[in-house]
């Protein structure tokens, strides 16, 4: 996770502390301090084979995800409806909102491919699982209320897709489906909090 630090009297972030926390040992295991321009990303930390990296939606970037896999680790990151360009596994366009509307169960998943925006074709496509959980009505309503309040403060209308996406938790993972069903992915992600 990343934490913003402001020097006294500052009106914006002066430094950013990037922290890796090992849940198994209950200890901070990696730290990096950057200036305020040091963006949060998964490449700030190092990973070992077998690690499972948990990150919020700021970490759902193609350039950050592939290096985790290349290090032999896996990840679970939260994503938003517009955080990444998702494709079907075969590279065709993916309609997230049609997928959400078709979901009949509380939890589900679909295999997606991440568009990496590279000029060169990567050695193999970044195929991941998109785990979807429908929020309970109270959670969804609270998130929609927050979105409406934020939009009103800026004198804008919220994007209707944001209001619809507020009904769901969307997680991307590289963990194998046979060993980690959607319920386990959601349970692991809760450890982040």
């Amino acid at each position: 996770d990343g934490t913003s630090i402001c020097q006294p009297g500052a009106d914006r972030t002066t430094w950013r502390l990037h922290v890796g926390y090992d849940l198994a040992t209950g200890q901070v295991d990696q730290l990096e301090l950057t200036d305020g321009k040091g963006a949060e990303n998964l490449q700030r930390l190092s990973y070992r084979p077998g690690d499972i990296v948990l990150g919020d939606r700021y970490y759902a970037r193609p350039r950050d995800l592939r290096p985790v896999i290349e290090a032999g680790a896996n990840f679970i990151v939260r994503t938003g409806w517009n955080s990444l360009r998702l494709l079907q596994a075969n590279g065709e366009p993916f309609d997230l909102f049609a997928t959400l509307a078709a979901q009949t169960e509380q939890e589900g998943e679909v295999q997606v491919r991440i568009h990496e925006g590279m000029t060169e074709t990567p050695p193999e496509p970044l195929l991941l699982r998109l785990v979807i959980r429908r929020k309970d009505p109270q959670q969804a309503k609270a998130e929609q209320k927050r979105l409406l309040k934020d939009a009103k403060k800026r004198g804008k209308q919220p994007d209707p897709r944001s209001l619809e996406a507020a009904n769901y938790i969307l997680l991307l993972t590289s963990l194998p489906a046979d060993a980690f069903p959607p319920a386990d992915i959601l349970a692991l992600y809760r450890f982040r909090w």
Side-chain angles (χ1 to χ4, degrees):
D1 201 9
T3 301
S4 296
I5 303 168
C6 296
Q7 69 185 28
D11 64 347
R12 61 183 61 135
T13 300
T14 309
W15 303 285
R16 189 163 283 118
L17 182 63
H18 307 272
V19 180
Y21 183 81
D22 186 330
L23 287 168
T25 63
Q27 297 179 46
V28 170
D29 65 350
Q30 298 181 64
L31 288 172
E32 181 179 354
L33 183 65
T34 63
D35 64 17
K37 296 177 184 169
E40 295 179 53
N41 68 64
L42 292 177
Q43 295 181 57
R44 294 207 175 273
L45 306 176
S46 59
Y47 309 103
R48 296 178 308 268
D51 283 352
I52 299 174
V53 180
L54 305 176
D56 64 25
R57 68 184 82 202
Y58 296 110
Y59 297 97
R61 297 185 189 117
R63 70 176 183 270
D64 292 343
L65 301 177
R66 187 174 286 279
V68 173
I69 294 169
E70 289 172 350
N74 284 288
F75 58 80
I76 302 170
V77 293
R78 191 162 182 169
T79 190
W81 69 267
N82 59 353
S83 299
L84 296 163
R85 184 168 165 214
L86 299 176
L87 305 169
Q88 294 179 42
N90 65 5
E92 294 293 316
F94 175 74
D95 187 338
L96 174 63
F97 290 97
T99 300
L100 296 176
Q103 183 167 316
T104 57
E105 302 294 322
Q106 180 81 12
E107 299 168 358
E109 74 173 89
V110 62
Q111 188 176 47
V112 294
R113 180 176 173 173
I114 304 300
H115 182 270
E116 296 184 72
M118 300 175 158
T119 53
E120 295 178 22
T121 305
E124 59 185 65
L126 194 53
L127 294 174
L128 303 172
R129 297 165 55 206
L130 177 65
V131 175
I132 302 164
R133 182 179 194 287
R134 187 182 307 275
K135 292 180 184 175
D136 69 51
Q138 274 185 299
Q139 289 175 315
K141 209 176 262 302
E143 178 64 10
Q144 289 169 339
K145 185 177 177 179
R146 185 191 68 75
L147 290 169
L148 290 165
K149 182 179 175 182
D150 286 351
K152 184 177 179 181
K153 188 189 287 187
R154 290 178 288 152
K156 297 184 176 190
Q157 289 293 319
D159 190 311
R161 295 170 293 185
S162 294
L163 295 173
E164 176 59 25
N167 291 304
Y168 302 91
I169 295 170
L170 305 173
L171 301 176
L172 281 170
T173 187
S174 59
L175 287 164
D178 57 344
F180 294 91
D184 289 352
I185 298 299
L186 290 155
L188 282 168
Y189 185 74
R190 283 186 208 104
F191 279 116
R192 189 181 181 286
W193 303 105

